[in-house]
Amino acid sequence: MAQPISNQSSGTPGKRRSRRFPFISPVEATWQEPNGKIFREAGQATEVNAQGGLLEMKTYPAAGTQIELTNLTTHETSQARVVGVRRNSEGRVLGVAVELFVASETFWGRNLQLKKTCADLVRMEYEMRSGPFDPRILAEFRDAVDNVRKTAWAVQEWQERQSRHQDPLTVLPLLTAEGIRRATQLCDSITAGITAHDIARETVGVEEFSRAVERVHQSLRTILKDRES
């Protein structure tokens, strides 16, 4: 059996280098006991960050034990160490805190990145209320959030159509229409920048952009001519 953990310390919260996010990720932990017996235990991580997380399992290794931790969603493996135990007010073990030997922003998968971004956006929302901000940067931020929102909708729609055994390719015309809308919005913004003298001949990338616009213009003329004929 794994070593008892009743006398282990609860870890030192002050040493945590970044906030943890409430997040459920299925994991598998493998470790060796002092008697040589190998344990392999499935469980879940419930709070995570780039440095580690809190694991819930039926059997727990002792504090200080080195474990091999596998994310069962991403199938990525990392070496970690048990650094403490979390208990409730009655003393019941809620989980063990583990620290990855090498901090990783990707070990817990892309879902964690979305979780962190959501938290950052909520924090930004409260900060924005105090203002003031440059109106141009606010407009750029608003456009970026709007674009991400529409992309998230498209990805979700794609996945739902796949799960319903429908053709996900039917989402493509919607993505194309959204791309045209965003390009139109960007061109209008650049036009406004030229009018306001924020963009000039010396602006980095303006010549490449002009050539790209010309290529698009020529292609659009061909499409529109075909439609008229």
Side-chain angles (χ1 to χ4, degrees), residues 48-61:
V48 301
N49 58 20
Q51 283 75 41
L54 183 72
L55 305 186
E56 294 180 355
M57 300 184 294
K58 291 182 178 179
T59 303
Y60 293 104

Side-chain angles (χ1 to χ4, degrees), residues 99-134:
E99 182 180 42
L100 302 179
F101 282 4
V102 178
S104 173
E105 293 288 343
T106 61
F107 178 75
W108 301 110
R110 287 175 291 184
N111 286 329
L112 176 61
Q113 302 302 315
L114 286 178
K115 190 79 173 180
K116 291 172 62 177
T117 301
C118 289
D120 289 338
L121 285 175
V122 171
R123 187 179 71 252
M124 178 61 68
E125 178 188 358
Y126 285 101
E127 292 179 356
M128 288 174 65
R129 294 176 183 178
S130 62
F133 291 91
D134 187 321

Side-chain angles (χ1 to χ4, degrees), residues 58-75:
K58 291 182 178 179
T59 303
Y60 293 104
T65 302
Q66 179 178 336
I67 67 174
E68 181 179 82
L69 193 62
T70 302
N71 185 325
L72 296 180
T73 301
T74 65
H75 303 291

Side-chain angles (χ1 to χ4, degrees), residues 105-180:
E105 293 288 343
T106 61
F107 178 75
W108 301 110
R110 287 175 291 184
N111 286 329
L112 176 61
Q113 302 302 315
L114 286 178
K115 190 79 173 180
K116 291 172 62 177
T117 301
C118 289
D120 289 338
L121 285 175
V122 171
R123 187 179 71 252
M124 178 61 68
E125 178 188 358
Y126 285 101
E127 292 179 356
M128 288 174 65
R129 294 176 183 178
S130 62
F133 291 91
D134 187 321
R136 294 171 298 180
I137 296 179
L138 275 177
E140 182 179 348
F141 176 77
R142 212 174 81 186
D143 290 342
V145 171
D146 188 46
N147 292 337
V148 170
R149 181 182 65 83
K150 288 183 171 61
T151 300
W153 169 85
V155 172
Q156 183 178 10
E157 188 69 19
W158 182 287
Q159 293 180 164
E160 288 181 355
R161 294 187 188 193
Q162 279 185 321
S163 66
R164 295 194 298 262
H165 303 289
Q166 297 175 345
D167 185 5
L169 294 178
T170 55
V171 178
L172 292 181
L174 302 176
L175 291 175
T176 301
E178 174 58 18
I180 292 175

